[in-house]
Structure formats: structure tokens, C-alpha cells
Amino acid sequence: MVDTNAAVKPKQILTSGVKPIWCPGCGDFGVQAGINKALSDLGIPKENAVIVSGIGCSSSMPHPFATYGVHSLHGRLLPVAAGVKLANDDLTVIGAGGDGDGYGIGVGHLVHNARRNVDLTYIVMNNEIYGLTTGQASPTSLFGMKTKSTPFGSIENPENPVGLALASGATYVARAFSGDPMHMAEMIKGAILHKGFSLIDVFSPCVTFNNLNTFDWFRKRVYKLDSVGHDATSISAALERSLEAEKTNWEKVPIGLFYKVEKPHYAQLDMTLKKGSLLKQPMPTKDQVGEILEEYK
Amino acid sequence: MTSVALRIAGAHGDGVESSGALVIKVAARNGLHVVAYRGYGSIIRGGHCWYQVRMGDSEMNSYGDGIDILIALNQESIENQKSHLNDKAVVIYDPSKIKVDTLDASKYRLTPIPLLDIAITASGDPIMRNTVALGAAIRFLGIDISAFAEVLKGQFGRKGESVVNQNVKAATEGYNYQGVQTIYSLRGDGKHRYSLDGNTALSIGAYAAGCKFYSAYPMTPASSILHWFAAHEDKGVMPKQVEDELAAINMAIGASVAGVRSMCGTSGGGFSLMVEGLGLAGMIETPLVVVESQRSGPSTGVPTKTEQGDILFVMHASQGEFPRIVVAPRSIKESFKVAADAFNLADRYQVPVIIMMDLYLSEHVETLDSLDTESVHIDRGKVVTENTDGGRFKRYLITDDGVSPRSIPGSKGLEFVAGSDEHTEFGDLVTDAHAGLDWAIEVRKNMHSKRMRKIETMLKNESVFVPEVLNDGADYFLVTFGSTTGPALDAINLLKAGGKNFGLISFSYLMPLDKEKTKKLLEGRKLINVEVNYTGQLAQVIRMNTGIEITQSILKYDGEAFTAEEIARQALALVSK
Ligand SMILES: Cc1ncc(C[n+]2csc(CCOP(=O)(O)OP(=O)(O)O)c2C)c(N)n1
Ligand code: SF4
Ligand SMILES: [Mg+2]
């Protein structure tokens, strides 16, 4: 366990005063600190930030923040977040949820919002377990892992979320570790600044229900992509790196920026949004309605 | 009233639909009234389909029972349609393709025309055989060929003068073919009418109300709403085809949280996937309009056929209790009004509003003199833009009327979290860590009753939550909701002509209902519910709300909408027992 909050000294504190509900030592505290630092370093006014979550321990993320938030349904944070963003492009929209939420029940939305390149920052607190429902296997639980729902060891292979996001067309893909919130804050800042769909897969240990993938377990295995001269402009290099954990039997696990590419994002291509934020576009006049009606004469 | 029903029947790919559309245009522009309905089994090329266009010199509310003029484009059309032919019906067909020996020549006016030959001579294009047949039909109807030529010009003008001329030539040949003569004389009043289907009227209503975001996953019979928004994207609306209905509803909720009037739409199958999202909108009190256009169920059912089988499902969809409004427009005209009003109701009470269409209402076409665009006004309800007391914003403030002030992201000092878990006035969770603590129990109780109180408030403030009674002093009353109201209206006129005094009690708003008023309106009357489902769902709703049990019903679940004649016949049988 590390006191992750103490490690981060943000310029602006964005807390609502609501205490997070996490167990002491939960990795999600580090993620809270990372988001807080990223938002405050970038000077994003709290009224212009919306944190959208699903359901799970990690999905209570919006509450400690003084920003706007939607704590939505299990697996549905991405459509809600995309709806907010498409309605008002002036907002900074951050999705924050769990691995079960985003890689399990809601995985379809990940694929589609990535390929749509909606300008969202999506942070998945990946603890390789279902925390809130007290410790069942998640889509990223390792093969053989014993959980409440797999007491004899999981016989399913873990999903590769970084590879999936890359293959789906995400234009910013990174990984971070809750044990290094400063690095995570940099990844989040990069994602917020990036215009397009960003996924940050964050190892955020569950100290209560996952005694395999602990802070120490990750600390021994993670290394930074920066340190090996990874070329984050190359999709093939990124895909290759996304397979490394699996290939090394989780001995070497890269964190950092896998891939970043500039491509037009959804609002830049959409006929209506090109004219400005949907929210700001005027209501139709009676004449405009009448004109449309004439089509049917 | 004089009315004539023209039916064009053939195979998918024969141009049945475009031919029907042409006839509707001719009639609508020549002062006639039209009710038209397209019957199709599948959308696969070659499948049997038909388009019935009923034209009359005054307003009608149903597409007519029998056929007065049939244009049969293939053999199958003769076999499939012969049971629908009225006595003396005109049957137009091409003798080189079609045999009519199964039809009794003394009963019908068989009119063989070498459609294909004429088409090829006139234009070289076999598809113009439809135009030849339509030209003949126009003559039978007593409409002048020039009126048809005018519509052809409008329709094909873009393709150049020669295409227009070929069409006019083909039509004229049909018009002048030997044996073709005027037998009906439909006299229009000279008015130029609009012709549109229910989904179009609904879409225009939503547009007029300022709905700028529409998300959907394609599903018959709701898809044409998506197509409408897509075709009008240059008018400042955003159509969004998404990966599934889960995304459709949740994206619309997100857009609504951000302050944009939003709608999503589907049929019953897709609505099944939307159910959890509906509860989210209820819980976080986000205004939302959902369209559910019903088709024959259960499961995939009969995708191209109609039914009114989803109302109980929709009224009770999603776990727990929350206020919602369920409304089934009774006509195309009302589809516009209901859609325009739905956004105000959703905003005023911060609830989901579900508009129940059905395949028949969504897809059939009627002429209208006007749509009530003048009365459309926009009321966004309790939206606040400023923090007046400096404290933390109470988005879910407990109020007497149950409605709390709502802020839109971007407004300073009004930040809050909209949470699907039970929450405090600020939006903070009372679950997980706190559930069961005395204060949290209190919060839950107060917050739940605050939300539910909105039902009383809407019943007090709005006048729409009661049925409408027509012909108050009648001996018997048909009881309908939604699209069945149209044919029932025509049925009571038929019954009147037959000496029976029937009234009509019709529901558009189904939930909530003003129980007392509804009960008063129904009590002491002889009631017959008429519905397109097996179990009489409206009768169940009525009993649930008023305790009144309707013991006689006319039900249908074969995939087709009621015709007026059918209702009248069955009603007569019931009261003559
Ligand atoms: C539709 C639906 N199914 C199941 C649940 C129960 N549920 C709540 S959270 C959760 C899994 C949480 O796991 P994850 O998303 O990884 O979040 P964590 O708690 O680990 O942060 C489940 C299955 C639910 N809320 N909704
Ligand atoms: S159960 Fe696990 S994921 Fe949930 S709060 Fe506790 S430590 Fe965190
Ligand atoms: Mg998890």
C-alpha cells in the first residue's frame, strides 16, 4: 500500500468534499489523484469537465470531484459520455470505470467509440477482478486465476484491452499504473489534450479481492515504454508491445504511451457539429418547420 | 361521402411502392383525401406486396376494406387479392403475363391492357408498364390526365424532359385504351394537401420541438425516423446510428444531460434492450423521449406486420418504480402533436416519455390539410443557470411538486453528479458505504417519494391524461387507444348508417391516467374494447386504473390493422347477440 495522494501536489483541488467509498489502499485512490492532477494542471474549469462512469467500485469516481458527473449504468459509460460530448463539444469529457464495466459487459461500446474517434478520454481501472460484486473473475483475470467464480482457476484467456483498442482505431492508447500517479497524470493529460478517442488502461489493484495482481506484483513487472525507445507513432510497434505481457507470461509489462495518431475526430467530420456545438445551435423557427412541411405537398 | 380504393399489387422490385406514391400525390394535389397503406411480407426482392390507396371527397380514417380498382402486376397478385375485391371491381392486368380465369368475369370489370407492349413502344422501358396501368386507373377514377401528367413532371423532371415525355405518353396510352372509361367521379375541393406517414409526422413534431439528437439502431418499423433525421441533417439535427439499442438510449441520455433535447427510437425488440436505460433516465431525472413502434411479437415476430402488443410491457419496463409518460398517438396528425408536446412534458417533469407507435401508424400515409405548427412552443422546465445562494447545488432538491432545479454542464457553481444509485439532494450516493444507516434510509424514502410525487403534479397540471369521448349519448361505446382509433371512428359511422348508435372512447395518453376522471367517463356505459393484440391490454389498463371490467372485446392479432368494416361487423354481431 502506498499513500498515493501524498505523492501528488496538484495546483487546483477539485474535490467536492465527498469521501470516496474505496477500501483503504485501493488502487483507485491513485487514479483519483491522477485525474485531479491532470485536470488541475491543464486548468480545466470544473464546470466544463464531466466525469462519466459506469457501475463498480471504480465507477464511483465522479463523486469526490467538484466537476459535473454522471454515474451511469454498468457497461454504459461510453455511450453516455459520447452523448454528452456530441451534445456539447466544449466540455472535457472523461470516462472512468472498471475492467468488468468496460472490457466485459460494455466492451462493444469500446470498439465502436474507438472507431468513431469521439473525442473522449477513457480511463479503465483494471484490477483484473470484479471488486464491487466481491471478487468474481473479470475479462482481464489471468488464466488460472482463482476467484469466487473460478475457485478451480479460470480457464479463459484474458482480454488484451490495449490491443483491442488499437485494432478498433483508438487514436491515443496508453497504459498506466496506480502505483505511479505522476506518470499516470501525464498519460491522462496527454489524452485530454489529444483530440480523438483515448484509452488509458490503468493497473489499479484491488487490495481486497485480488491477492494475485497486487501493487508489488505490478511494481516488479512494469517498465516504461519511454525507457526502451518505443515509437508511439507506429501502429505495428504498438500492437507488438501490446502483446508483450502475454508473450512473456506477464514478466515484462509495458506502461506508457503505446500509440498516438492525429486523425479527424467525430465532431470535425459530422455535418452538424462542424457548425458548432449542438447545444448552441438555435431551435428551429416556425418558418423552418413550415419549409420542411412543404416537402410533403 | 364517395371513396374509391385502388390497390396496386405485385412483387418487390415491380415498383409497387413508387406507383402508390404517385397516386397519392395525384389525389393530394387534386383536392382529394387519402388514406394509404402498404402491405408487405418481406423486403426481399420478389416477395409479394401491395399498396392500397383509398381516395375520397371527404376525410377518412381508415384505408378501406375491399378493393375497387386492382392493378395486378403478376399472377400471384390475382390469387392473393381476389378475396379482397369488391363487387364490380376493376381489374387491370396485362393478358400476356396474367391469367384471370379464376375470377368470375360477370362479377368484375376485367380490363386487359397490353401494359408491357405499350410501355416498350412508348419508352423502351418495361418498368413504365406501371405508368400505363396508372393512366388507365386515373381514367376510371375520373381524374383528368393532365393532373397525372403534372405529377409525373414533378417526379421525373430531374431526369430530363424525355423521361417526363415518355412517362406522360405511357400514361396517356393507358388513359385512352379501349374500354377504359370514367366510372367514378371523385370531385376534389381544389386544395393542395400534405401527404405523410406517422413516422414523418412524428419526426417533424420532434424537429419543431427542438429535438436535435436522435440515436437509433435500425429496426422496422422505426427505421424511417432515423432516415428522416439523416435526410434532414443539414437542418441542424444530429442523427446517430449506433452499435445497438443500449447505446441508442444511453447516448440520448448523455446528450440530454448535456442540455440537448434528445430522442431515441426502436421497435419492441430494441426497446427490450433499452429497458435498463429507461430506468436510468427515471432515476437521474433526465428528460428523454423514446419512440417504440410496435410490430407483431413476441421475439422477432413478424417484422413487417403491425400489432399493439407492447403497451403493458412498456408501461412496466425496468426495475423499481419511477414516473413515466406513455402515449399512443391516435392518428398521423396527432403523431406530430404528441411528439412536439413530449419534449415539453419530458422537460417539465424530468421524466422519460415513451411514444407508442405501431407499424400501421408509422407507415401508412394520410393527407392532411395542415399540421398544428403554430401551437408548438418550447418549455424547458426548471432549468437553472445561476447559483443564487452560493452553496453546493442541490440538483435533487426535495420539492412539493417533486420536480427539482436542473443544471446543464458548463454552468458554473451548479456542478453535480447524476447517479443511478439512490442519492441525496446533492446527488451523492447513499448506497455502498451508507445503505441501511438511519440517515440513508431517510434519504432513500424522501428521494423516492419526491420522484413519485411528480405523477400527482403532472395529473394536476396537465389535462391530457384522460380519454376522449365521442358521441356522448350513444348506446354502446368502442374503446380504443392509438392507431386503432382511426378505423373505429369510421366504424361508428358505418354502424350509424346501419341504425346502431355507437360512440367512441379513445385513449392517447395511457400513463399516467387520471383515475377518477377516467372512471367517471367510462362508468355506466356499454363498452367494447377494440385492440390489435390477443389479451386486450387496454382493457387491462382500464381495469387496473378504474376497476371497470370490459367484458366484450374485438381483438385481432393476424398482423394487419383493423379496417372499419371489420370493426363494424364484429361490433354489430356482439350487440345483436
Ligand atoms: C446489468 C448489471 N449487471 C450486473 C451488475 C452487478 N455489478 C455491479 S459492479 C459489477 C462488476 C464490477 O467490476 P468492475 O467493472 O471491474 O469494477 P470494480 O468494482 O472492479 O472497480 C457487477 C457485475 C450491475 N450493476 N448491472
Ligand atoms: S473492493 Fe477492491 S476495487 Fe473495490 S474499493 Fe475495495 S479494494 Fe478497491
Ligand atoms: Mg474491476
Side-chain angles (χ1 to χ4, degrees):
Chain A
M1 209 222 299
V2 283
D3 183 1
T4 44
N5 274 320
V8 185
K9 292 258 174 328
K11 284 188 214 151
Q12 182 192 353
I13 308 285
L14 290 159
T15 61
S16 61
V18 174
K19 274 214 271 174
I21 51 139
W22 302 307
C23 307
C26 173
D28 297 348
F29 283 106
V31 182
Q32 182 201 350
I35 297 174
N36 199 354
K37 179 161 169 59
L39 282 176
S40 53
D41 281 5
L42 294 175
I44 293 167
K46 59 186 173 33
E47 68 272 17
N48 287 348
V50 186
I51 301 175
V52 182
S53 67
I55 295 293
C57 294
S58 42
S59 283
S60 70
M61 188 58 82
H63 294 281
F65 283 92
T67 63
Y68 280 91
V70 188
H71 184 178
S72 76
L73 295 171
H74 193 38
R76 308 302 154 215
L77 82 81
L78 276 178
V80 174
V84 172
K85 183 68 183 174
L86 295 179
N88 187 353
D89 197 40
D90 303 335
L91 301 171
T92 297
V93 183
I94 296 177
D99 48 332
D101 193 85
Y103 301 153
I105 190 168
V107 69
H109 306 309
L110 170 60
V111 172
H112 293 283
N113 285 291
R115 77 180 175 84
R116 261 174 217 139
N117 203 24
V118 182
D119 183 20
L120 296 173
T121 296
Y122 182 28
I123 301 165
V124 179
M125 285 155 270
N126 183 356
N127 55 11
E128 295 82 17
I129 199 86
Y130 281 12
L132 191 65
T133 45
T134 71
Q136 301 83 1
S138 96
T140 50
S141 292
L142 296 187
F143 189 92
M145 184 171 174
K146 289 187 173 157
T147 70
K148 274 191 189 157
S149 59
T150 58
F152 304 106
S154 167
I155 54 166
E156 296 183 12
N157 294 303
E159 194 173 308
N160 173 358
V162 167
L164 178 66
L166 288 167
S168 306
T171 48
Y172 181 106
V173 183
R175 183 182 268 155
F177 170 41
S178 178
D180 191 347
M182 296 298 273
H183 172 258
M184 183 195 337
E186 291 311 308
M187 292 299 108
I188 299 174
K189 269 196 261 180
I192 292 174
L193 291 173
H194 174 72
K195 299 296 273 176
F197 187 86
S198 313
L199 171 73
I200 307 161
D201 178 62
V202 183
F203 293 130
S204 178
C206 169
V207 296
T208 305
F209 295 110
N210 187 338
N211 45 29
L212 173 67
N213 312 106
T214 61
F215 274 102
D216 280 343
W217 189 89
F218 281 112
R219 207 166 273 124
K220 282 191 201 117
R221 287 163 170 82
V222 298
Y223 76 92
K224 292 199 176 116
L225 283 166
D226 271 358
S227 65
V228 293
H230 167 68
D231 176 9
T233 65
S234 159
I235 184 85
S236 16
L239 281 164
E240 190 59 38
R241 289 286 171 188
S242 80
L243 299 168
E244 189 172 2
E246 175 80 30
K247 278 186 178 167
T248 62
N249 201 18
W250 290 80
E251 287 310 316
K252 286 187 71 185
V253 184
I255 61 172
L257 181 64
F258 281 74
Y259 185 60
K260 178 174 167 208
V261 64
E262 300 298 334
K263 272 190 190 163
H265 62 89
Y266 196 86
Q268 290 174 320
L269 295 170
D270 183 83
M271 184 191 290
T272 305
L273 297 184
K274 273 189 206 165
K275 292 185 247 169
S277 193
L278 205 51
L279 182 65
K280 290 192 183 140
Q281 297 196 24
M283 294 291 193
T285 62
K286 299 241 188 289
D287 284 349
Q288 282 168 317
V289 178
E291 226 169 83
I292 283 185
L293 201 48
E294 285 315 297
E295 292 170 29
Y296 301 92
K297 241 184 185 160
Chain B
M1 185 193 71
T2 315
S3 80
V4 183
L6 165 72
R7 185 176 288 205
I8 305 150
H12 258 290
D14 282 348
V16 170
E17 191 178 351
S18 50
S19 300
L22 279 175
V23 178
I24 294 169
K25 270 234 159 85
V26 176
R29 290 192 180 176
N30 286 281
L32 293 172
H33 299 259
V34 174
V35 179
Y37 182 49
R38 197 161 57 96
Y40 58 110
S42 80
I43 25 66
I44 291 162
R45 257 183 114 82
H48 183 66
C49 62
W50 51 264
Y51 206 147
Q52 176 142 330
V53 184
R54 183 183 182 204
M55 292 154 269
D57 54 15
S58 50
E59 210 174 302
M60 302 159 293
N61 303 290
S62 56
Y63 70 91
D65 209 15
I67 303 169
D68 299 308
I69 303 175
L70 173 68
I71 298 176
L73 295 174
N74 61 9
Q75 191 63 46
E76 209 185 349
S77 301
I78 298 286
E79 310 316 327
N80 285 335
Q81 302 301 339
K82 68 179 172 206
S83 64
H84 301 283
L85 291 172
N86 284 339
D87 274 358
K88 307 223 170 59
V90 174
V91 179
I92 301 169
Y93 65 101
D94 188 331
S96 73
K97 297 241 148 210
I98 293 168
K99 303 232 165 332
V100 291
D101 28 1
T102 56
L103 295 181
D104 179 351
S106 66
K107 269 180 75 182
Y108 308 114
R109 184 176 184 129
L110 300 178
T111 310
I113 304 176
L115 303 173
L116 203 57
D117 283 355
I118 298 177
I120 288 172
T121 326
S123 68
D125 187 349
I127 192 73
M128 270 184 214
R129 69 188 174 135
N130 295 7
T131 317
V132 181
L134 290 176
I138 292 288
R139 179 80 174 258
F140 280 114
L141 288 166
I143 298 174
D144 199 80
I145 184 69
S146 64
F148 188 28
E150 204 52 40
V151 168
L152 288 171
K153 216 180 279 170
Q155 190 73 14
F156 298 107
R158 261 174 299 130
K159 296 187 180 170
E161 204 172 329
S162 79
V163 178
V164 172
N165 290 342
Q166 286 169 356
N167 271 284
V168 173
K169 184 152 187 274
T172 311
E173 300 255 350
Y175 192 85
N176 291 327
Y177 196 76
Q178 68 198 50
V180 174
Q181 56 183 211
T182 294
I183 55 172
Y184 298 102
S185 49
L186 285 175
R187 289 282 161 265
D189 57 9
K191 261 194 196 151
H192 223 105
R193 296 200 158 79
Y194 301 106
S195 57
L196 27 83
D197 64 26
N199 278 356
T200 303
L202 177 146
S203 302
I204 299 174
Y207 172 79
C211 170
K212 290 191 230 151
F213 187 84
Y214 180 73
S215 46
Y217 185 80
M219 188 166 193
T220 305
S223 304
S224 59
I225 304 170
L226 177 63
H227 303 164
W228 191 93
F229 275 85
H232 294 87
E233 191 166 3
D234 61 340
K235 303 281 191 289
V237 294
M238 186 171 178
K240 191 73 210 85
Q241 179 183 341
V242 289
E243 56 271 30
D244 51 38
E245 288 84 355
L246 304 162
I249 190 165
N250 286 292
M251 216 181 253
I253 289 171
S256 180
V257 166
V260 164
R261 285 194 152 179
S262 309
M263 179 164 86
C264 57
T266 182
S267 186
F271 188 82
S272 298
L273 297 189
M274 289 185 176
V275 166
E276 196 186 14
L278 190 74
L280 173 64
M283 186 58 152
I284 65 177
E285 304 192 51
T286 295
L288 179 72
V289 178
V290 182
V291 184
E292 209 269 57
S293 183
Q294 305 157 90
R295 64 191 209 189
S296 302
S299 194
T300 309
V302 191
T304 58
K305 293 292 168 193
T306 201
E307 203 159 276
Q308 297 184 295
D310 298 352
I311 59 164
L312 285 174
F313 165 49
V314 165
M315 289 169 73
H316 300 110
S318 203
Q319 68 273 27
E321 303 159 304
F322 57 92
R324 78 188 78 188
I325 294 172
V326 179
V327 52
R330 292 168 295 179
S331 64
I332 290 173
K333 196 169 182 154
E334 196 167 73
S335 302
F336 170 86
K337 172 107 179 88
V338 158
D341 290 346
F343 290 88
N344 286 345
L345 291 170
D347 268 346
R348 228 177 265 150
Y349 303 103
Q350 302 174 10
V351 293
V353 178
I354 307 150
I355 304 177
M356 302 295 294
M357 303 292 282
D358 55 51
L359 185 133
Y360 173 67
L361 181 58
S362 285
E363 295 193 345
H364 89 272
V365 173
E366 286 179 21
T367 44
L368 297 174
D369 286 343
S370 65
L371 282 178
D372 189 11
T373 53
E374 281 310 309
S375 76
V376 177
H377 70 288
I378 289 169
D379 171 11
R380 305 268 359 222
K382 288 192 192 173
V383 174
V384 291
T385 50
E386 247 174 87
N387 184 329
T388 43
D389 68 4
R392 219 179 140 210
F393 177 55
K394 288 185 171 171
R395 163 66 181 95
Y396 298 105
L397 183 73
I398 306 276
T399 55
D400 288 342
D401 65 3
V403 186
S404 311
R406 180 163 82 102
S407 65
I408 303 296
S411 315
K412 202 172 173 158
L414 298 170
E415 300 82 0
F416 73 99
V417 176
S420 65
D421 283 64
E422 189 57 278
H423 41 255
T424 66
E425 289 181 301
F426 298 110
D428 302 338
L429 302 191
V430 297
T431 52
D432 300 333
H434 319 293
L437 300 180
D438 283 350
W439 68 267
I441 290 173
E442 205 54 29
V443 168
R444 155 68 187 174
K445 204 172 75 190
N446 293 338
M447 198 51 71
H448 193 48
S449 51
K450 176 201 99 77
R451 283 189 298 269
M452 297 310 288
R453 252 196 321 275
K454 294 193 282 189
I455 299 175
E456 289 156 41
T457 306
M458 48 179 118
L459 286 172
K460 201 169 79 203
N461 295 350
E462 311 288 338
S463 58
V464 291
F465 300 113
V466 286
E468 192 182 334
V469 181
L470 191 86
N471 202 5
D472 201 13
D475 302 327
Y476 310 96
F477 288 85
L478 300 178
V479 186
T480 62
F481 74 96
S483 71
T484 300
T485 307
L489 260 172
D490 283 359
I492 60 172
N493 287 330
L494 292 174
L495 286 159
K496 195 163 154 198
K500 294 283 177 199
N501 191 8
F502 271 75
L504 177 66
I505 301 179
S506 63
F507 290 73
S508 59
Y509 286 81
L510 295 164
M511 194 178 197
L513 279 182
D514 186 319
K515 295 177 198 233
E516 290 311 312
K517 285 191 188 143
T518 305
K519 190 172 175 182
K520 279 213 184 84
L521 289 174
L522 293 166
E523 240 166 8
R525 302 192 198 258
K526 292 192 181 121
L527 307 170
I528 301 171
N529 58 307
V530 189
E531 309 180 41
V532 186
N533 59 49
Y534 185 93
T535 52
Q537 298 192 18
L538 175 64
Q540 294 182 59
V541 171
I542 289 171
R543 188 169 174 199
M544 215 155 59
N545 280 281
T546 66
I548 294 172
E549 184 159 13
I550 303 180
T551 52
Q552 290 190 306
S553 51
I554 301 175
L555 303 170
K556 172 171 174 143
Y557 37 86
D558 62 0
E560 298 301 348
F562 274 112
T563 63
E565 290 78 0
E566 210 178 343
I567 297 174
R569 216 166 31 238
Q570 294 194 44
L572 201 59
L574 283 175
V575 301
S576 317
K577 258 195 228 163

